[in-house]
Amino acid sequence: MKSIAIIGAGFSGTLTAIHLIRNLVEPIEIIIINEQETFNKGIAYNPYSKQHLLNVAASKMSAFSDQPDHFFQWVCNQSEYTNKDKNSLENSFLPRQLYGQYLVDIWSETIQSEQAKKANIIVINSSVIDLDVDDHNASLTLSNQEKIHVDICIMANGNQVPRNPTIRNTNFFKSTNYFQNPWTINSVTNMGSSLPILIIGNGLTMVDTVLGLLEHNFENEIFSISPNGFNLLPSPGYVVQYTKFTEEISDQTTLLQIVQLFNKHRKILKRNGSTEESLITSLRPYSQKIWQQMSFQEKKLFMNRLRHIWGVARHRIPLQVYDKIQKLLIDRKLHIYAGKIVDISEDNQKISVEFYNKKQQKNEKIIVSRVINCTGPETDFIQSEDHFLKKCMFKGIVSQDKLKLGINADTSTFQVQDSKGNLHTNLFTIGPNLRGMLWETTAVNELRQQAETVAKNILSCHLVTKSFS
Ligand SMILES: Cc1cc2nc3c(=O)[nH]c(=O)nc-3n(C[C@H](O)[C@H](O)[C@H](O)COP(=O)(O)OP(=O)(O)OC[C@H]3O[C@@H](n4cnc5c(N)ncnc54)[C@H](O)[C@@H]3O)c2cc1C
């Protein structure tokens, strides 16, 4: 019996396993490895608060591309939602905890199905700390040093904790008042002090953290420092369908021309009382293709000059959350600064943060009781102390893309490329590892397709399958 290991059981790993089970004909062994707490949910769908909402409307969050209203129908069948107005439910931003429950449900349903009896499904609650691959085998080392030998391995290890800021006093990172991982509840609990709190970063996780702090009765000021200090934008309930912008983009259009076209169409929309949200939405189905046709110089330019603007325009927050953030800003409970952390030191539970204030063009100091890192998932695994991908890179099993956003792989088969540029026949990856190859490769919208494709590819290359159209 062939065996397949999946590293990580967030959305990507869970859906890959589901598609393997749904489509297999021959018996196979599927070993799926993830720590217990986030099994099926990953980081995104295991939040500590009900207030942490999806950033995509319910109607667009189906786990299956061929059943676009699968999630919505599931929600309608949940007792809490059966009596809710269907139209408003479709467009609402529901709790991410609910989405985690949806993933747990579809996994349970799959493993209890008749089809699952053909597979030997093994769930291991652990972490993979090392990986070796040759032409015929993959050998995974778990955190308890146990080794697992399989024929095929799929890396669906997803998002990494944020990178520590570059400061002189790196000793601070050992402090119990520093939270490198903003997605765990302890980052917002047990706040003994009456001093303010600093959140590094100004994106969606900053918003979740602010909500978490308020939920845990934090009443003092909250500071947020990020390179640009952009204001977050609300998600409009309705977006005008607008295709004229993307109709003008061809395979030859350069990044500069895309920016010029964007500005041209933004003005047209503005004259007609609409916003650029329509442009961002219309670009979405083409963004991977555009990224792939950009030169390395253009990609670098995008990363240096446009990435943050794109992030703000693309990752909007639900209106009710936007309202709360605006109120905090008006009440001067939340302060958003554009700037850069220079240094952080701690003395007797008081943390002194020196930062460059971009607006004032000078260094300033604030005193806080804790620092929460909300700068977003780290993409350069070389920065982490002991990531298994780092070990794989030193062994030549994987290669980093030039922008250090992820690893190199073939984006149609999802085979991983080794350091010599050869594609592995038995090592695959999907999800955030492919950021350098695809840029947009983190939302359910893209990942559901990747999971289905990689599962079908593996089954059709390595094993007998149902016939696929
Ligand atoms: C806070 C947050 C909110 C988001 N909200 C949305 C949203 O509303 N809508 C949307 O479309 N997208 C959202 N996203 C994007 C999100 O990245 C994807 O939707 C999706 O959850 C990614 O799934 P994944 O399985 O690839 O990665 P992850 O969710 O990161 O899951 C990876 C899993 O692999 C495990 N793992 C990692 N390394 C190892 C190892 N060495 N051994 C074993 N297990 C390992 C991790 O513990 C984790 O459980 C959000 C992302 C974040 C971070």
Side-chain angles (χ1 to χ4, degrees), residues 7-13 33-35 38 41-45 53-56 61 96 126-128 156-159 183 205 208 377 388 431-432 442-445 447:
I7 304 176
F11 180 90
S12 301
I33 307 139
N34 197 103
E35 59 175 22
T38 51
K41 300 171 184 173
I43 289 173
Y45 309 118
L53 303 180
L54 294 170
N55 53 38
V56 178
M61 283 295 291
R96 296 210 303 271
S126 182
S127 287
V128 173
N157 50 285
N159 297 297
W183 299 301
T205 301
D208 284 346
F388 78 96
T442 48
V444 156
N445 179 31
L447 301 186

mmCIF file of all heavy atoms in Angstrom, residues 7-13 33-35 38 41-45 53-56 61 96 126-128 156-159 183 205 208 377 388 431-432 442-445 447, ligand 1:
data_model
loop_
_atom_site.group_PDB
_atom_site.id
_atom_site.type_symbol
_atom_site.label_atom_id
_atom_site.label_comp_id
_atom_site.label_asym_id
_atom_site.label_seq_id
_atom_site.Cartn_x
_atom_site.Cartn_y
_atom_site.Cartn_z
ATOM 1 N N ILE A 7 2.120 17.199 5.985
ATOM 2 C CA ILE A 7 2.635 17.988 7.119
ATOM 3 C C ILE A 7 1.733 19.209 7.271
ATOM 4 O O ILE A 7 1.706 20.096 6.423
ATOM 5 C CB ILE A 7 4.095 18.437 6.886
ATOM 6 C CG1 ILE A 7 4.991 17.231 6.608
ATOM 7 C CG2 ILE A 7 4.603 19.257 8.075
ATOM 8 C CD1 ILE A 7 6.441 17.590 6.279
ATOM 9 N N GLY A 8 0.963 19.246 8.348
ATOM 10 C CA GLY A 8 0.064 20.364 8.607
ATOM 11 C C GLY A 8 -1.369 20.018 8.253
ATOM 12 O O GLY A 8 -1.641 19.520 7.166
ATOM 13 N N ALA A 9 -2.273 20.296 9.208
ATOM 14 C CA ALA A 9 -3.697 20.047 8.957
ATOM 15 C C ALA A 9 -4.495 21.307 9.243
ATOM 16 O O ALA A 9 -5.425 21.328 10.034
ATOM 17 C CB ALA A 9 -4.197 18.887 9.799
ATOM 18 N N GLY A 10 -4.072 22.404 8.595
ATOM 19 C CA GLY A 10 -4.914 23.600 8.577
ATOM 20 C C GLY A 10 -5.877 23.412 7.416
ATOM 21 O O GLY A 10 -6.188 22.275 7.030
ATOM 22 N N PHE A 11 -6.334 24.497 6.843
ATOM 23 C CA PHE A 11 -7.252 24.378 5.702
ATOM 24 C C PHE A 11 -6.606 23.551 4.585
ATOM 25 O O PHE A 11 -7.214 22.612 4.060
ATOM 26 C CB PHE A 11 -7.627 25.774 5.175
ATOM 27 C CG PHE A 11 -8.558 25.713 4.006
ATOM 28 C CD1 PHE A 11 -9.930 25.715 4.191
ATOM 29 C CD2 PHE A 11 -8.068 25.606 2.706
ATOM 30 C CE1 PHE A 11 -10.799 25.617 3.114
ATOM 31 C CE2 PHE A 11 -8.927 25.509 1.621
ATOM 32 C CZ PHE A 11 -10.295 25.514 1.827
ATOM 33 N N SER A 12 -5.350 23.886 4.233
ATOM 34 C CA SER A 12 -4.706 23.249 3.071
ATOM 35 C C SER A 12 -4.521 21.749 3.269
ATOM 36 O O SER A 12 -4.869 20.953 2.392
ATOM 37 C CB SER A 12 -3.332 23.878 2.817
ATOM 38 O OG SER A 12 -3.466 25.245 2.578
ATOM 39 N N GLY A 13 -3.959 21.361 4.408
ATOM 40 C CA GLY A 13 -3.693 19.939 4.646
ATOM 41 C C GLY A 13 -4.988 19.153 4.767
ATOM 42 O O GLY A 13 -5.115 18.054 4.216
ATOM 43 N N ILE A 33 -0.196 15.055 9.968
ATOM 44 C CA ILE A 33 0.505 15.431 11.206
ATOM 45 C C ILE A 33 0.265 16.899 11.537
ATOM 46 O O ILE A 33 0.534 17.794 10.727
ATOM 47 C CB ILE A 33 2.034 15.199 11.052
ATOM 48 C CG1 ILE A 33 2.286 13.761 10.599
ATOM 49 C CG2 ILE A 33 2.788 15.504 12.344
ATOM 50 C CD1 ILE A 33 3.362 13.642 9.568
ATOM 51 N N ASN A 34 -0.233 17.132 12.708
ATOM 52 C CA ASN A 34 -0.489 18.498 13.184
ATOM 53 C C ASN A 34 -0.701 18.433 14.686
ATOM 54 O O ASN A 34 -1.274 17.455 15.185
ATOM 55 C CB ASN A 34 -1.770 19.049 12.535
ATOM 56 C CG ASN A 34 -1.912 20.565 12.625
ATOM 57 O OD1 ASN A 34 -1.683 21.259 11.652
ATOM 58 N ND2 ASN A 34 -2.266 21.086 13.775
ATOM 59 N N GLU A 35 -0.328 19.447 15.413
ATOM 60 C CA GLU A 35 -0.610 19.448 16.849
ATOM 61 C C GLU A 35 -2.135 19.454 17.050
ATOM 62 O O GLU A 35 -2.889 19.932 16.185
ATOM 63 C CB GLU A 35 0.034 20.649 17.537
ATOM 64 C CG GLU A 35 -0.461 21.944 16.954
ATOM 65 C CD GLU A 35 0.044 23.181 17.656
ATOM 66 O OE1 GLU A 35 1.086 23.084 18.328
ATOM 67 O OE2 GLU A 35 -0.612 24.219 17.512
ATOM 68 N N THR A 38 -4.780 22.783 16.870
ATOM 69 C CA THR A 38 -5.129 23.454 15.607
ATOM 70 C C THR A 38 -5.514 22.454 14.515
ATOM 71 O O THR A 38 -5.657 22.844 13.354
ATOM 72 C CB THR A 38 -3.944 24.319 15.116
ATOM 73 O OG1 THR A 38 -2.769 23.514 15.111
ATOM 74 C CG2 THR A 38 -3.749 25.545 15.960
ATOM 75 N N LYS A 41 -8.003 23.200 11.725
ATOM 76 C CA LYS A 41 -8.319 24.633 11.759
ATOM 77 C C LYS A 41 -7.148 25.522 11.361
ATOM 78 O O LYS A 41 -7.351 26.621 10.840
ATOM 79 C CB LYS A 41 -8.763 25.015 13.170
ATOM 80 C CG LYS A 41 -9.994 24.258 13.634
ATOM 81 C CD LYS A 41 -10.238 24.532 15.090
ATOM 82 C CE LYS A 41 -11.415 23.721 15.612
ATOM 83 N NZ LYS A 41 -11.540 23.869 17.047
ATOM 84 N N GLY A 42 -5.941 25.041 11.631
ATOM 85 C CA GLY A 42 -4.769 25.880 11.381
ATOM 86 C C GLY A 42 -4.799 27.106 12.269
ATOM 87 O O GLY A 42 -5.537 27.162 13.261
ATOM 88 N N ILE A 43 -4.009 28.102 11.901
ATOM 89 C CA ILE A 43 -3.939 29.331 12.702
ATOM 90 C C ILE A 43 -5.202 30.164 12.513
ATOM 91 O O ILE A 43 -5.788 30.668 13.459
ATOM 92 C CB ILE A 43 -2.702 30.163 12.278
ATOM 93 C CG1 ILE A 43 -1.428 29.479 12.741
ATOM 94 C CG2 ILE A 43 -2.779 31.580 12.802
ATOM 95 C CD1 ILE A 43 -0.169 30.145 12.213
ATOM 96 N N ALA A 44 -5.628 30.269 11.257
ATOM 97 C CA ALA A 44 -6.685 31.228 10.925
ATOM 98 C C ALA A 44 -8.027 30.884 11.561
ATOM 99 O O ALA A 44 -8.761 31.779 11.988
ATOM 100 C CB ALA A 44 -6.838 31.302 9.411
ATOM 101 N N TYR A 45 -8.339 29.590 11.618
ATOM 102 C CA TYR A 45 -9.693 29.218 12.031
ATOM 103 C C TYR A 45 -9.731 28.601 13.428
ATOM 104 O O TYR A 45 -10.646 27.854 13.761
ATOM 105 C CB TYR A 45 -10.324 28.320 10.949
ATOM 106 C CG TYR A 45 -10.168 29.007 9.609
ATOM 107 C CD1 TYR A 45 -9.435 28.438 8.567
ATOM 108 C CD2 TYR A 45 -10.673 30.289 9.418
ATOM 109 C CE1 TYR A 45 -9.232 29.114 7.373
ATOM 110 C CE2 TYR A 45 -10.477 30.979 8.228
ATOM 111 C CZ TYR A 45 -9.756 30.384 7.215
ATOM 112 O OH TYR A 45 -9.549 31.079 6.053
ATOM 113 N N LEU A 53 -13.405 37.797 13.052
ATOM 114 C CA LEU A 53 -14.293 37.458 11.937
ATOM 115 C C LEU A 53 -13.527 37.090 10.672
ATOM 116 O O LEU A 53 -12.379 37.506 10.472
ATOM 117 C CB LEU A 53 -15.198 38.667 11.634
ATOM 118 C CG LEU A 53 -16.041 39.182 12.807
ATOM 119 C CD1 LEU A 53 -16.883 40.379 12.358
ATOM 120 C CD2 LEU A 53 -16.922 38.098 13.398
ATOM 121 N N LEU A 54 -14.213 36.346 9.820
ATOM 122 C CA LEU A 54 -13.665 36.073 8.482
ATOM 123 C C LEU A 54 -13.548 37.410 7.758
ATOM 124 O O LEU A 54 -14.360 38.312 7.975
ATOM 125 C CB LEU A 54 -14.623 35.166 7.709
ATOM 126 C CG LEU A 54 -14.799 33.747 8.249
ATOM 127 C CD1 LEU A 54 -15.954 33.056 7.544
ATOM 128 C CD2 LEU A 54 -13.524 32.936 8.059
ATOM 129 N N ASN A 55 -12.561 37.529 6.890
ATOM 130 C CA ASN A 55 -12.481 38.778 6.113
ATOM 131 C C ASN A 55 -13.081 38.603 4.717
ATOM 132 O O ASN A 55 -12.885 39.429 3.839
ATOM 133 C CB ASN A 55 -11.050 39.324 6.077
ATOM 134 C CG ASN A 55 -10.053 38.293 5.601
ATOM 135 O OD1 ASN A 55 -10.361 37.514 4.704
ATOM 136 N ND2 ASN A 55 -8.880 38.271 6.206
ATOM 137 N N VAL A 56 -13.786 37.510 4.533
ATOM 138 C CA VAL A 56 -14.459 37.229 3.264
ATOM 139 C C VAL A 56 -15.912 36.876 3.602
ATOM 140 O O VAL A 56 -16.166 36.210 4.613
ATOM 141 C CB VAL A 56 -13.770 36.037 2.547
ATOM 142 C CG1 VAL A 56 -14.476 35.680 1.256
ATOM 143 C CG2 VAL A 56 -12.292 36.342 2.293
ATOM 144 N N MET A 61 -16.909 31.482 0.968
ATOM 145 C CA MET A 61 -15.957 30.728 1.787
ATOM 146 C C MET A 61 -16.135 29.210 1.666
ATOM 147 O O MET A 61 -15.645 28.452 2.512
ATOM 148 C CB MET A 61 -16.067 31.160 3.258
ATOM 149 C CG MET A 61 -15.403 32.488 3.567
ATOM 150 S SD MET A 61 -13.592 32.521 3.366
ATOM 151 C CE MET A 61 -13.050 31.478 4.715
ATOM 152 N N ARG A 96 -14.581 33.408 12.697
ATOM 153 C CA ARG A 96 -13.628 32.415 12.170
ATOM 154 C C ARG A 96 -13.725 31.098 12.955
ATOM 155 O O ARG A 96 -13.419 30.044 12.433
ATOM 156 C CB ARG A 96 -12.204 32.977 12.188
ATOM 157 C CG ARG A 96 -12.013 34.177 11.264
ATOM 158 C CD ARG A 96 -10.593 34.268 10.734
ATOM 159 N NE ARG A 96 -9.597 34.329 11.756
ATOM 160 C CZ ARG A 96 -9.147 35.444 12.320
ATOM 161 N NH1 ARG A 96 -9.620 36.614 11.945
ATOM 162 N NH2 ARG A 96 -8.223 35.411 13.249
ATOM 163 N N SER A 126 1.447 15.995 16.453
ATOM 164 C CA SER A 126 2.858 16.291 16.706
ATOM 165 C C SER A 126 3.334 17.316 15.678
ATOM 166 O O SER A 126 2.547 17.827 14.883
ATOM 167 C CB SER A 126 3.664 14.996 16.577
ATOM 168 O OG SER A 126 5.021 15.228 16.849
ATOM 169 N N SER A 127 4.622 17.596 15.686
ATOM 170 C CA SER A 127 5.225 18.494 14.691
ATOM 171 C C SER A 127 6.339 17.767 13.976
ATOM 172 O O SER A 127 7.047 16.956 14.587
ATOM 173 C CB SER A 127 5.873 19.688 15.373
ATOM 174 O OG SER A 127 4.921 20.540 15.848
ATOM 175 N N VAL A 128 6.503 18.097 12.721
ATOM 176 C CA VAL A 128 7.625 17.552 11.956
ATOM 177 C C VAL A 128 8.803 18.502 12.165
ATOM 178 O O VAL A 128 8.680 19.710 11.955
ATOM 179 C CB VAL A 128 7.254 17.460 10.461
ATOM 180 C CG1 VAL A 128 8.457 17.069 9.623
ATOM 181 C CG2 VAL A 128 6.114 16.469 10.276
ATOM 182 N N ALA A 156 2.048 21.147 3.872
ATOM 183 C CA ALA A 156 0.956 22.131 3.954
ATOM 184 C C ALA A 156 1.105 22.856 5.282
ATOM 185 O O ALA A 156 0.157 23.001 6.044
ATOM 186 C CB ALA A 156 -0.386 21.410 3.850
ATOM 187 N N ASN A 157 2.370 23.280 5.526
ATOM 188 C CA ASN A 157 2.709 23.812 6.847
ATOM 189 C C ASN A 157 2.283 25.257 7.085
ATOM 190 O O ASN A 157 2.399 25.762 8.193
ATOM 191 C CB ASN A 157 4.206 23.646 7.110
ATOM 192 C CG ASN A 157 5.044 24.149 5.973
ATOM 193 O OD1 ASN A 157 5.121 23.489 4.931
ATOM 194 N ND2 ASN A 157 5.632 25.314 6.119
ATOM 195 N N GLY A 158 1.767 25.933 6.051
ATOM 196 C CA GLY A 158 1.068 27.209 6.237
ATOM 197 C C GLY A 158 1.869 28.373 6.754
ATOM 198 O O GLY A 158 3.031 28.593 6.383
ATOM 199 N N ASN A 159 1.219 29.133 7.644
ATOM 200 C CA ASN A 159 1.762 30.412 8.122
ATOM 201 C C ASN A 159 2.703 30.228 9.307
ATOM 202 O O ASN A 159 2.419 29.441 10.206
ATOM 203 C CB ASN A 159 0.599 31.305 8.560
ATOM 204 C CG ASN A 159 -0.327 31.643 7.408
ATOM 205 O OD1 ASN A 159 0.065 32.289 6.452
ATOM 206 N ND2 ASN A 159 -1.572 31.187 7.487
ATOM 207 N N TRP A 183 -1.481 35.060 17.884
ATOM 208 C CA TRP A 183 -2.711 34.300 17.648
ATOM 209 C C TRP A 183 -3.107 33.430 18.830
ATOM 210 O O TRP A 183 -4.017 32.625 18.719
ATOM 211 C CB TRP A 183 -2.558 33.452 16.372
ATOM 212 C CG TRP A 183 -2.314 34.301 15.151
ATOM 213 C CD1 TRP A 183 -3.149 35.275 14.673
ATOM 214 C CD2 TRP A 183 -1.190 34.270 14.270
ATOM 215 N NE1 TRP A 183 -2.596 35.854 13.546
ATOM 216 C CE2 TRP A 183 -1.409 35.251 13.274
ATOM 217 C CE3 TRP A 183 -0.024 33.516 14.225
ATOM 218 C CZ2 TRP A 183 -0.497 35.500 12.255
ATOM 219 C CZ3 TRP A 183 0.884 33.768 13.204
ATOM 220 C CH2 TRP A 183 0.650 34.737 12.233
ATOM 221 N N THR A 205 -4.378 41.436 11.948
ATOM 222 C CA THR A 205 -4.088 40.821 13.257
ATOM 223 C C THR A 205 -4.019 41.885 14.352
ATOM 224 O O THR A 205 -4.389 41.628 15.503
ATOM 225 C CB THR A 205 -2.792 39.980 13.182
ATOM 226 O OG1 THR A 205 -2.985 38.972 12.188
ATOM 227 C CG2 THR A 205 -2.467 39.301 14.493
ATOM 228 N N ASP A 208 -7.607 42.268 15.303
ATOM 229 C CA ASP A 208 -8.029 41.144 16.157
ATOM 230 C C ASP A 208 -7.478 41.304 17.572
ATOM 231 O O ASP A 208 -8.164 41.016 18.555
ATOM 232 C CB ASP A 208 -7.486 39.813 15.593
ATOM 233 C CG ASP A 208 -8.267 39.354 14.377
ATOM 234 O OD1 ASP A 208 -9.359 39.890 14.118
ATOM 235 O OD2 ASP A 208 -7.774 38.443 13.673
ATOM 236 N N PRO A 377 2.566 36.902 9.124
ATOM 237 C CA PRO A 377 3.365 35.678 9.063
ATOM 238 C C PRO A 377 4.737 35.888 8.413
ATOM 239 O O PRO A 377 4.841 36.582 7.400
ATOM 240 C CB PRO A 377 2.516 34.743 8.191
ATOM 241 C CG PRO A 377 1.133 35.293 8.241
ATOM 242 C CD PRO A 377 1.273 36.762 8.425
ATOM 243 N N PHE A 388 11.740 23.205 9.958
ATOM 244 C CA PHE A 388 12.210 22.035 9.191
ATOM 245 C C PHE A 388 12.575 22.434 7.751
ATOM 246 O O PHE A 388 13.446 21.818 7.138
ATOM 247 C CB PHE A 388 11.189 20.891 9.239
ATOM 248 C CG PHE A 388 9.997 21.049 8.335
ATOM 249 C CD1 PHE A 388 9.975 20.456 7.083
ATOM 250 C CD2 PHE A 388 8.898 21.796 8.726
ATOM 251 C CE1 PHE A 388 8.878 20.598 6.238
ATOM 252 C CE2 PHE A 388 7.798 21.946 7.891
ATOM 253 C CZ PHE A 388 7.793 21.363 6.646
ATOM 254 N N GLY A 431 -0.227 26.174 -0.602
ATOM 255 C CA GLY A 431 -0.487 27.175 0.436
ATOM 256 C C GLY A 431 0.545 28.269 0.491
ATOM 257 O O GLY A 431 1.239 28.558 -0.494
ATOM 258 N N PRO A 432 0.681 28.900 1.672
ATOM 259 C CA PRO A 432 1.574 30.049 1.811
ATOM 260 C C PRO A 432 3.036 29.800 1.412
ATOM 261 O O PRO A 432 3.740 30.751 1.083
ATOM 262 C CB PRO A 432 1.457 30.403 3.300
ATOM 263 C CG PRO A 432 0.084 29.947 3.666
ATOM 264 C CD PRO A 432 -0.150 28.701 2.872
ATOM 265 N N THR A 442 -2.949 32.529 -0.202
ATOM 266 C CA THR A 442 -3.251 32.332 1.217
ATOM 267 C C THR A 442 -4.747 32.208 1.493
ATOM 268 O O THR A 442 -5.123 31.679 2.527
ATOM 269 C CB THR A 442 -2.722 33.494 2.094
ATOM 270 O OG1 THR A 442 -3.114 34.708 1.486
ATOM 271 C CG2 THR A 442 -1.246 33.454 2.265
ATOM 272 N N ALA A 443 -5.589 32.706 0.603
ATOM 273 C CA ALA A 443 -7.025 32.705 0.917
ATOM 274 C C ALA A 443 -7.664 31.383 0.491
ATOM 275 O O ALA A 443 -7.179 30.702 -0.410
ATOM 276 C CB ALA A 443 -7.701 33.870 0.231
ATOM 277 N N VAL A 444 -8.767 31.082 1.143
ATOM 278 C CA VAL A 444 -9.522 29.852 0.868
ATOM 279 C C VAL A 444 -9.818 29.695 -0.620
ATOM 280 O O VAL A 444 -9.695 28.614 -1.197
ATOM 281 C CB VAL A 444 -10.838 29.886 1.696
ATOM 282 C CG1 VAL A 444 -11.938 29.028 1.109
ATOM 283 C CG2 VAL A 444 -10.531 29.468 3.129
ATOM 284 N N ASN A 445 -10.205 30.810 -1.206
ATOM 285 C CA ASN A 445 -10.476 30.893 -2.631
ATOM 286 C C ASN A 445 -9.409 30.222 -3.516
ATOM 287 O O ASN A 445 -9.725 29.521 -4.473
ATOM 288 C CB ASN A 445 -10.568 32.411 -2.875
ATOM 289 C CG ASN A 445 -10.827 32.782 -4.278
ATOM 290 O OD1 ASN A 445 -11.473 32.030 -4.980
ATOM 291 N ND2 ASN A 445 -10.300 33.917 -4.672
ATOM 292 N N LEU A 447 -6.701 28.318 -2.103
ATOM 293 C CA LEU A 447 -6.202 27.080 -1.496
ATOM 294 C C LEU A 447 -7.092 25.879 -1.783
ATOM 295 O O LEU A 447 -6.619 24.755 -1.919
ATOM 296 C CB LEU A 447 -6.042 27.254 0.020
ATOM 297 C CG LEU A 447 -5.090 28.369 0.459
ATOM 298 C CD1 LEU A 447 -4.895 28.337 1.965
ATOM 299 C CD2 LEU A 447 -3.739 28.267 -0.227
HETATM 300 C C1 LIG B 1 -5.283 35.297 11.382
HETATM 301 C C2 LIG B 1 -5.644 34.910 9.973
HETATM 302 C C3 LIG B 1 -6.940 35.091 9.509
HETATM 303 C C4 LIG B 1 -7.282 34.709 8.193
HETATM 304 N N1 LIG B 1 -8.557 34.896 7.761
HETATM 305 C C5 LIG B 1 -8.906 34.481 6.522
HETATM 306 C C6 LIG B 1 -10.251 34.619 6.045
HETATM 307 O O1 LIG B 1 -11.115 35.144 6.724
HETATM 308 N N2 LIG B 1 -10.531 34.165 4.792
HETATM 309 C C7 LIG B 1 -9.580 33.601 3.991
HETATM 310 O O2 LIG B 1 -9.893 33.201 2.861
HETATM 311 N N3 LIG B 1 -8.294 33.484 4.421
HETATM 312 C C8 LIG B 1 -7.947 33.907 5.645
HETATM 313 N N4 LIG B 1 -6.649 33.781 6.072
HETATM 314 C C9 LIG B 1 -5.665 33.202 5.162
HETATM 315 C C10 LIG B 1 -5.292 31.789 5.618
HETATM 316 O O3 LIG B 1 -3.890 31.751 5.470
HETATM 317 C C11 LIG B 1 -5.925 30.669 4.823
HETATM 318 O O4 LIG B 1 -7.308 30.840 4.688
HETATM 319 C C12 LIG B 1 -5.723 29.255 5.406
HETATM 320 O O5 LIG B 1 -6.183 29.153 6.712
HETATM 321 C C13 LIG B 1 -4.281 28.817 5.348
HETATM 322 O O6 LIG B 1 -4.326 27.466 5.636
HETATM 323 P P1 LIG B 1 -3.018 26.586 5.660
HETATM 324 O O7 LIG B 1 -3.464 25.232 6.027
HETATM 325 O O8 LIG B 1 -2.281 26.732 4.390
HETATM 326 O O9 LIG B 1 -2.118 27.256 6.756
HETATM 327 P P2 LIG B 1 -2.299 27.362 8.406
HETATM 328 O O10 LIG B 1 -3.669 27.805 8.700
HETATM 329 O O11 LIG B 1 -1.171 28.160 8.824
HETATM 330 O O12 LIG B 1 -2.186 25.842 8.813
HETATM 331 C C14 LIG B 1 -0.966 25.154 8.784
HETATM 332 C C15 LIG B 1 -0.997 24.082 9.834
HETATM 333 O O13 LIG B 1 0.205 23.346 9.745
HETATM 334 C C16 LIG B 1 0.701 23.131 11.036
HETATM 335 N N5 LIG B 1 2.161 22.982 10.928
HETATM 336 C C17 LIG B 1 3.066 23.919 10.574
HETATM 337 N N6 LIG B 1 4.309 23.405 10.597
HETATM 338 C C18 LIG B 1 4.171 22.119 10.968
HETATM 339 C C19 LIG B 1 5.100 21.088 11.209
HETATM 340 N N7 LIG B 1 6.405 21.265 11.067
HETATM 341 N N8 LIG B 1 4.628 19.873 11.603
HETATM 342 C C20 LIG B 1 3.291 19.653 11.756
HETATM 343 N N9 LIG B 1 2.367 20.631 11.559
HETATM 344 C C21 LIG B 1 2.803 21.838 11.178
HETATM 345 C C22 LIG B 1 0.299 24.338 11.837
HETATM 346 O O14 LIG B 1 0.245 24.039 13.220
HETATM 347 C C23 LIG B 1 -1.078 24.628 11.254
HETATM 348 O O15 LIG B 1 -2.086 23.962 11.964
HETATM 349 C C24 LIG B 1 -6.291 34.161 7.363
HETATM 350 C C25 LIG B 1 -4.980 34.000 7.842
HETATM 351 C C26 LIG B 1 -4.663 34.353 9.133
HETATM 352 C C27 LIG B 1 -3.250 34.155 9.625
#
